Amino acid sequence: MRSSSPRGRRPGLLPVVIGGDIGAYALARQLHDATGQRVRLLAPAPIEAITRSVYIDVERVGADERAVVDALRRLGEGRPARSAVVLANTDALASVLARHRGELEPVYAVPFPSPEVIDDLCDKAVFAEVCRTQGVRTPGQVVVDCSRLEAEDPRIDLPFPLVAKPAVGAHWDAVSFPGKRKIYLIDTPSELSALWGQLRGAGYRSSFVVQERIPGPDDAMRSVTLYVSSGGEVTLVASARVLLEDHSPTMIGNPVAMITEPLPELWEASSRVLAAVGYRGFANLDVKVDPRDGQPVFFEVNPRIGRNSFYVSAAGVNPMEVMLRDLLDGSAGPRREARAEVLYSLVPRHLLLHQLTDPALRRRVARLALRAVDPLLDPVETSVRRRLVITAQKLNHDLKFHRHHPRRIRPTRRTRTR
């Protein structure tokens, strides 16, 4: 889906993206749409959908903090103020860019909150307290300081099943060990004990959050994306109903298919939480509707626009236009609401329909499938090899879901053996 803004709207601007995955490509596509300029992308090993793009110039840069900052400073040498913008889509990189804002400005626009806000609100324990003050519900939880893990496991006074995950995403991004997962689904005390042993063995010293597991399938999840201007105004709101999440260990919880739709109640609650801490820049919040009472439960806020940022463009608003107007033009502009209904999907339609159990959602998907949006499938891309690689990747989701999230189709009365 194309932005309504003409290409070449911002001649002389240097858009820079850090990262080499699907989320990084989505940022590059949105920046290219908004500015008409080629995008410089910094990553050690970007995916082929990026390296074969017609408008992305790849520079292979190490993933460590100093290498990234030095590369940005080199690219900015001799450039006038506010002539470049830098985006990234991991908590760790958001923290890096926020910490080095003083070195990067005034050449770069840096659309991230302050390091203090990131440290506070993006700590899941602090996030829960801020939500409580704003009347926003979060899961019951216990915070464990892993620097104090000893021979005896910590006591968790919550009923099973549970969810366990790092309290600070940036700290988790910085550690690597066999069997590492994004989140851990804990069904028994022995599984929880095994997790503590794994964290001890890895030498992980930050905090871990153990939460009650809110029941419900993937399609109970909601995604909310906002942009808060330099003056504290929420100038962009968008949201989507998740249909299907990735279930592979390292990617679990990442949506791979969504239907965009306005969710004003969640927009308002999210805005209150961000305002309470003086948030600025992009934010993405994960919410789940508890099937027991139909009430939303807020899980976390990501200090960035999110891996699936392109669902905002699909719903009618290129978020880069909103950000650039604020940081480069000094104008918050009118509030933009992404309200169009669109199917956003990284997986084949047959897989999505196979995984969905709700008949109403299946009908919506069937109705929207002909104009479904995949951020990787930009019409301006001309490489045949690139398109073949993307097609193969989409089909590989069949294998991933068969391995990590199989769903058996129960025979209907008509097909059941007599």
Side-chain angles (χ1 to χ4, degrees):
M1 181 168 292
R2 280 289 162 204
S3 161
S4 59
S5 299
R7 293 190 179 278
R9 179 185 171 197
R10 294 188 180 272
L13 180 69
L14 173 64
V16 181
V17 172
I18 307 171
D21 63 359
I22 291 174
Y25 179 82
L27 292 178
R29 179 177 174 181
Q30 290 171 114
L31 284 167
H32 180 243
D33 285 349
T35 68
Q37 306 305 309
R38 298 187 65 81
V39 178
R40 186 70 62 93
L41 183 138
L42 311 179
I47 59 175
E48 200 164 356
I50 288 173
T51 60
R52 293 185 178 273
S53 172
V54 298
Y55 52 77
I56 299 176
D57 298 315
V58 173
E59 185 170 334
R60 296 183 186 273
V61 173
D64 61 287
E65 181 170 340
R66 196 64 253 173
V68 168
V69 175
D70 287 347
L72 290 172
R73 293 186 66 180
R74 176 174 44 78
L75 289 173
E77 287 179 359
R79 297 188 63 88
R82 287 294 195 264
S83 65
V85 60
V86 59
L87 270 296
N89 230 341
T90 68
D91 290 356
L93 285 170
S95 295
V96 167
L97 294 174
R99 285 197 303 271
H100 292 273
R101 188 190 306 274
E103 295 179 64
L104 301 175
E105 292 179 338
V107 172
Y108 289 93
V110 184
F112 295 94
S114 70
E116 295 76 20
V117 168
I118 290 178
D119 290 344
D120 285 346
L121 194 54
C122 299
D123 181 320
K124 294 176 180 60
V126 178
F127 174 71
E129 177 59 23
V130 173
C131 286
R132 187 192 64 78
T133 66
Q134 299 303 310
V136 173
R137 180 182 164 193
T138 59
Q141 66 179 27
V142 174
V143 180
V144 175
D145 182 354
C146 293
S147 69
R148 298 182 180 180
L149 279 180
E150 298 173 354
E152 187 172 286
D153 292 346
R155 180 172 178 174
I156 306 297
D157 291 324
L158 293 171
F160 289 87
L162 302 168
V163 174
K165 50 191 172 182
V168 183
H171 296 174
W172 194 241
D173 290 343
V175 69
S176 179
F177 58 88
K180 176 184 173 184
R181 295 171 176 249
K182 183 182 177 185
I183 63 173
Y184 294 81
L185 302 179
I186 307 295
D187 293 315
T188 65
S190 62
E191 290 180 1
L192 186 58
S193 182
L195 172 61
W196 300 136
Q198 193 174 30
L199 295 179
R200 285 190 196 99
Y204 188 66
R205 308 283 292 174
S206 188
S207 299
F208 232 71
V209 174
V210 181
Q211 296 178 334
E212 64 171 317
R213 192 189 304 178
I214 304 299
D218 293 356
D219 57 49
M221 292 297 299
R222 306 289 184 268
S223 177
V224 182
T225 300
L226 304 93
Y227 181 78
V228 185
S229 73
S230 303
E233 303 169 70
V234 175
T235 53
L236 167 68
V237 287
S239 48
R241 175 188 297 258
V242 174
L243 300 174
L244 186 63
E245 295 180 334
D246 200 321
H247 286 263
S248 58
T250 58
M251 301 294 288
I252 190 167
N254 284 329
V256 294
M258 298 185 277
I259 292 179
T260 60
E261 59 182 44
L263 300 169
E265 179 186 352
L266 301 188
W267 292 352
E268 196 277 331
S270 300
S271 299
R272 290 202 316 271
V273 170
L274 298 183
V277 296
Y279 198 98
R280 300 291 186 272
F282 287 116
N284 176 248
L285 295 93
D286 297 329
V287 186
K288 189 170 190 177
V289 177
D290 190 333
R292 295 169 296 189
D293 58 13
Q295 295 303 305
V297 182
F298 282 65
F299 285 171
E300 63 184 348
V301 58
N302 301 299
R304 49 191 169 84
I305 194 170
R307 182 174 185 264
N308 291 291
S309 66
F310 203 80
Y311 84 74
V312 184
S313 292
V317 180
N318 186 331
M320 300 303 127
E321 294 177 358
V322 177
M323 178 269 294
L324 293 171
R325 184 180 59 209
D326 173 39
L327 297 184
L328 300 189
D329 302 338
S331 170
R335 173 181 165 114
R336 304 285 300 278
E337 298 182 352
R339 289 182 166 270
E341 181 191 39
V342 176
L343 173 62
Y344 166 100
S345 181
L346 302 172
V347 300
R349 180 179 64 173
H350 70 265
L351 173 61
L352 179 55
L353 289 172
H354 173 74
Q355 289 287 329
L356 286 175
T357 58
D358 184 313
L361 287 178
R362 287 173 57 86
R363 288 193 295 270
R364 287 182 73 184
V365 167
R367 174 171 57 84
L368 297 170
L370 288 179
R371 50 192 179 94
V373 173
D374 181 333
L376 294 176
L377 299 180
D378 189 338
V380 307
E381 300 285 12
T382 56
S383 169
V384 175
R385 165 72 181 178
R386 181 182 182 278
R387 183 169 286 273
L388 289 174
V389 167
I390 292 170
T391 300
Q393 288 174 341
K394 289 176 78 75
L395 292 175
N396 188 53
H397 280 287
D398 284 310
L399 181 62
K400 287 175 61 178
F401 274 86
H402 176 74
R403 180 183 302 136
H404 299 294
H405 195 246
R407 190 176 86 81
R408 297 183 182 275
I409 301 290
R410 299 175 67 181
T412 63
R413 182 171 300 176
R414 179 176 299 173
T415 60
R416 189 176 293 130
T417 302
R418 294 179 182 272

mmCIF file of all heavy atoms in Angstrom, residues 69-94:
data_model
loop_
_atom_site.group_PDB
_atom_site.id
_atom_site.type_symbol
_atom_site.label_atom_id
_atom_site.label_comp_id
_atom_site.label_asym_id
_atom_site.label_seq_id
_atom_site.Cartn_x
_atom_site.Cartn_y
_atom_site.Cartn_z
ATOM 1 N N VAL A 69 27.423 3.183 16.540
ATOM 2 C CA VAL A 69 27.507 4.629 16.748
ATOM 3 C C VAL A 69 28.589 5.242 15.869
ATOM 4 O O VAL A 69 28.396 6.313 15.268
ATOM 5 C CB VAL A 69 27.760 4.945 18.235
ATOM 6 C CG1 VAL A 69 27.970 6.440 18.442
ATOM 7 C CG2 VAL A 69 26.580 4.465 19.080
ATOM 8 N N ASP A 70 29.729 4.579 15.752
ATOM 9 C CA ASP A 70 30.810 5.104 14.903
ATOM 10 C C ASP A 70 30.378 5.180 13.445
ATOM 11 O O ASP A 70 30.696 6.146 12.739
ATOM 12 C CB ASP A 70 32.058 4.231 15.021
ATOM 13 C CG ASP A 70 32.784 4.397 16.349
ATOM 14 O OD1 ASP A 70 32.467 5.373 17.072
ATOM 15 O OD2 ASP A 70 33.656 3.575 16.655
ATOM 16 N N ALA A 71 29.647 4.179 12.974
ATOM 17 C CA ALA A 71 29.162 4.198 11.589
ATOM 18 C C ALA A 71 28.187 5.345 11.364
ATOM 19 O O ALA A 71 28.233 6.029 10.330
ATOM 20 C CB ALA A 71 28.498 2.855 11.256
ATOM 21 N N LEU A 72 27.311 5.581 12.331
ATOM 22 C CA LEU A 72 26.359 6.687 12.201
ATOM 23 C C LEU A 72 27.075 8.029 12.199
ATOM 24 O O LEU A 72 26.743 8.928 11.409
ATOM 25 C CB LEU A 72 25.334 6.631 13.343
ATOM 26 C CG LEU A 72 24.319 5.479 13.282
ATOM 27 C CD1 LEU A 72 23.509 5.424 14.563
ATOM 28 C CD2 LEU A 72 23.398 5.650 12.074
ATOM 29 N N ARG A 73 28.058 8.173 13.052
ATOM 30 C CA ARG A 73 28.801 9.434 13.094
ATOM 31 C C ARG A 73 29.540 9.665 11.774
ATOM 32 O O ARG A 73 29.584 10.792 11.269
ATOM 33 C CB ARG A 73 29.770 9.433 14.264
ATOM 34 C CG ARG A 73 29.088 9.452 15.620
ATOM 35 C CD ARG A 73 30.087 9.604 16.743
ATOM 36 N NE ARG A 73 30.744 10.904 16.697
ATOM 37 C CZ ARG A 73 31.664 11.309 17.562
ATOM 38 N NH1 ARG A 73 32.050 10.499 18.545
ATOM 39 N NH2 ARG A 73 32.200 12.506 17.472
ATOM 40 N N ARG A 74 30.117 8.612 11.219
ATOM 41 C CA ARG A 74 30.820 8.746 9.942
ATOM 42 C C ARG A 74 29.855 9.156 8.833
ATOM 43 O O ARG A 74 30.174 10.038 8.018
ATOM 44 C CB ARG A 74 31.505 7.425 9.602
ATOM 45 C CG ARG A 74 32.193 7.417 8.243
ATOM 46 C CD ARG A 74 32.980 6.140 8.031
ATOM 47 N NE ARG A 74 32.245 4.956 8.438
ATOM 48 C CZ ARG A 74 31.266 4.395 7.712
ATOM 49 N NH1 ARG A 74 30.902 4.959 6.553
ATOM 50 N NH2 ARG A 74 30.658 3.314 8.134
ATOM 51 N N LEU A 75 28.684 8.535 8.788
ATOM 52 C CA LEU A 75 27.701 8.896 7.765
ATOM 53 C C LEU A 75 27.219 10.335 7.919
ATOM 54 O O LEU A 75 26.835 10.987 6.944
ATOM 55 C CB LEU A 75 26.506 7.940 7.831
ATOM 56 C CG LEU A 75 26.726 6.505 7.369
ATOM 57 C CD1 LEU A 75 25.492 5.660 7.659
ATOM 58 C CD2 LEU A 75 27.060 6.468 5.887
ATOM 59 N N GLY A 76 27.232 10.818 9.157
ATOM 60 C CA GLY A 76 26.728 12.171 9.413
ATOM 61 C C GLY A 76 27.753 13.272 9.267
ATOM 62 O O GLY A 76 27.392 14.458 9.334
ATOM 63 N N GLU A 77 29.020 12.919 9.065
ATOM 64 C CA GLU A 77 30.069 13.950 8.983
ATOM 65 C C GLU A 77 29.806 14.935 7.846
ATOM 66 O O GLU A 77 29.576 14.540 6.706
ATOM 67 C CB GLU A 77 31.437 13.285 8.795
ATOM 68 C CG GLU A 77 31.964 12.604 10.029
ATOM 69 C CD GLU A 77 33.313 11.929 9.794
ATOM 70 O OE1 GLU A 77 33.803 11.990 8.643
ATOM 71 O OE2 GLU A 77 33.855 11.347 10.747
ATOM 72 N N GLY A 78 29.843 16.213 8.186
ATOM 73 C CA GLY A 78 29.680 17.265 7.184
ATOM 74 C C GLY A 78 28.261 17.534 6.765
ATOM 75 O O GLY A 78 28.014 18.441 5.947
ATOM 76 N N ARG A 79 27.293 16.803 7.294
ATOM 77 C CA ARG A 79 25.902 17.004 6.913
ATOM 78 C C ARG A 79 25.299 18.124 7.759
ATOM 79 O O ARG A 79 25.650 18.288 8.931
ATOM 80 C CB ARG A 79 25.078 15.728 7.099
ATOM 81 C CG ARG A 79 25.530 14.558 6.226
ATOM 82 C CD ARG A 79 24.536 13.405 6.330
ATOM 83 N NE ARG A 79 23.226 13.802 5.819
ATOM 84 C CZ ARG A 79 22.843 13.711 4.558
ATOM 85 N NH1 ARG A 79 23.682 13.228 3.648
ATOM 86 N NH2 ARG A 79 21.635 14.082 4.174
ATOM 87 N N PRO A 80 24.354 18.879 7.187
ATOM 88 C CA PRO A 80 23.697 19.924 7.974
ATOM 89 C C PRO A 80 22.767 19.340 9.026
ATOM 90 O O PRO A 80 22.444 18.147 9.010
ATOM 91 C CB PRO A 80 22.910 20.711 6.918
ATOM 92 C CG PRO A 80 22.725 19.770 5.782
ATOM 93 C CD PRO A 80 23.928 18.860 5.782
ATOM 94 N N ALA A 81 22.353 20.185 9.944
ATOM 95 C CA ALA A 81 21.453 19.753 11.013
ATOM 96 C C ALA A 81 20.145 19.221 10.443
ATOM 97 O O ALA A 81 19.626 19.720 9.448
ATOM 98 C CB ALA A 81 21.175 20.915 11.966
ATOM 99 N N ARG A 82 19.634 18.183 11.112
ATOM 100 C CA ARG A 82 18.349 17.567 10.770
ATOM 101 C C ARG A 82 18.278 17.161 9.298
ATOM 102 O O ARG A 82 17.257 17.321 8.641
ATOM 103 C CB ARG A 82 17.197 18.523 11.100
ATOM 104 C CG ARG A 82 16.930 18.667 12.604
ATOM 105 C CD ARG A 82 16.419 17.332 13.159
ATOM 106 N NE ARG A 82 15.820 17.439 14.473
ATOM 107 C CZ ARG A 82 16.441 17.203 15.613
ATOM 108 N NH1 ARG A 82 17.721 16.844 15.587
ATOM 109 N NH2 ARG A 82 15.818 17.291 16.757
ATOM 110 N N SER A 83 19.372 16.602 8.802
ATOM 111 C CA SER A 83 19.389 16.142 7.410
ATOM 112 C C SER A 83 19.427 14.622 7.327
ATOM 113 O O SER A 83 19.626 14.062 6.252
ATOM 114 C CB SER A 83 20.581 16.722 6.666
ATOM 115 O OG SER A 83 21.808 16.246 7.204
ATOM 116 N N ALA A 84 19.251 13.947 8.457
ATOM 117 C CA ALA A 84 19.239 12.489 8.487
ATOM 118 C C ALA A 84 18.298 12.029 9.586
ATOM 119 O O ALA A 84 17.992 12.768 10.520
ATOM 120 C CB ALA A 84 20.646 11.934 8.718
ATOM 121 N N VAL A 85 17.843 10.792 9.461
ATOM 122 C CA VAL A 85 16.984 10.197 10.489
ATOM 123 C C VAL A 85 17.422 8.755 10.662
ATOM 124 O O VAL A 85 17.807 8.091 9.690
ATOM 125 C CB VAL A 85 15.490 10.284 10.096
ATOM 126 C CG1 VAL A 85 15.211 9.560 8.787
ATOM 127 C CG2 VAL A 85 14.597 9.743 11.207
ATOM 128 N N VAL A 86 17.403 8.257 11.901
ATOM 129 C CA VAL A 86 17.841 6.890 12.161
ATOM 130 C C VAL A 86 16.749 6.123 12.902
ATOM 131 O O VAL A 86 16.167 6.633 13.868
ATOM 132 C CB VAL A 86 19.173 6.865 12.943
ATOM 133 C CG1 VAL A 86 19.063 7.590 14.278
ATOM 134 C CG2 VAL A 86 19.647 5.423 13.145
ATOM 135 N N LEU A 87 16.455 4.918 12.420
ATOM 136 C CA LEU A 87 15.442 4.033 13.013
ATOM 137 C C LEU A 87 16.042 2.662 13.281
ATOM 138 O O LEU A 87 16.963 2.229 12.585
ATOM 139 C CB LEU A 87 14.247 3.865 12.063
ATOM 140 C CG LEU A 87 13.060 4.828 12.140
ATOM 141 C CD1 LEU A 87 12.343 4.716 13.453
ATOM 142 C CD2 LEU A 87 13.483 6.245 11.851
ATOM 143 N N ALA A 88 15.517 1.989 14.275
ATOM 144 C CA ALA A 88 15.872 0.608 14.584
ATOM 145 C C ALA A 88 14.671 -0.054 15.228
ATOM 146 O O ALA A 88 13.734 0.636 15.649
ATOM 147 C CB ALA A 88 17.085 0.549 15.508
ATOM 148 N N ASN A 89 14.704 -1.389 15.327
ATOM 149 C CA ASN A 89 13.494 -2.079 15.778
ATOM 150 C C ASN A 89 13.766 -3.192 16.776
ATOM 151 O O ASN A 89 13.091 -4.219 16.774
ATOM 152 C CB ASN A 89 12.719 -2.630 14.571
ATOM 153 C CG ASN A 89 11.259 -2.236 14.628
ATOM 154 O OD1 ASN A 89 10.745 -1.865 15.688
ATOM 155 N ND2 ASN A 89 10.576 -2.305 13.501
ATOM 156 N N THR A 90 14.770 -2.982 17.658
ATOM 157 C CA THR A 90 14.935 -3.857 18.808
ATOM 158 C C THR A 90 15.060 -2.979 20.044
ATOM 159 O O THR A 90 15.470 -1.815 19.949
ATOM 160 C CB THR A 90 16.183 -4.747 18.704
ATOM 161 O OG1 THR A 90 17.368 -3.937 18.803
ATOM 162 C CG2 THR A 90 16.207 -5.537 17.399
ATOM 163 N N ASP A 91 14.722 -3.546 21.208
ATOM 164 C CA ASP A 91 14.850 -2.787 22.453
ATOM 165 C C ASP A 91 16.295 -2.367 22.686
ATOM 166 O O ASP A 91 16.567 -1.256 23.142
ATOM 167 C CB ASP A 91 14.358 -3.622 23.630
ATOM 168 C CG ASP A 91 12.852 -3.825 23.622
ATOM 169 O OD1 ASP A 91 12.185 -3.253 22.751
ATOM 170 O OD2 ASP A 91 12.348 -4.563 24.490
ATOM 171 N N ALA A 92 17.242 -3.278 22.394
ATOM 172 C CA ALA A 92 18.652 -2.979 22.638
ATOM 173 C C ALA A 92 19.115 -1.801 21.794
ATOM 174 O O ALA A 92 19.794 -0.885 22.282
ATOM 175 C CB ALA A 92 19.506 -4.213 22.356
ATOM 176 N N LEU A 93 18.751 -1.792 20.507
ATOM 177 C CA LEU A 93 19.169 -0.701 19.638
ATOM 178 C C LEU A 93 18.441 0.597 19.978
ATOM 179 O O LEU A 93 19.017 1.693 19.859
ATOM 180 C CB LEU A 93 18.939 -1.071 18.173
ATOM 181 C CG LEU A 93 19.956 -2.068 17.594
ATOM 182 C CD1 LEU A 93 19.507 -2.562 16.226
ATOM 183 C CD2 LEU A 93 21.343 -1.426 17.496
ATOM 184 N N ALA A 94 17.192 0.503 20.397
ATOM 185 C CA ALA A 94 16.485 1.705 20.852
ATOM 186 C C ALA A 94 17.228 2.341 22.015
ATOM 187 O O ALA A 94 17.397 3.563 22.077
ATOM 188 C CB ALA A 94 15.052 1.364 21.245
#
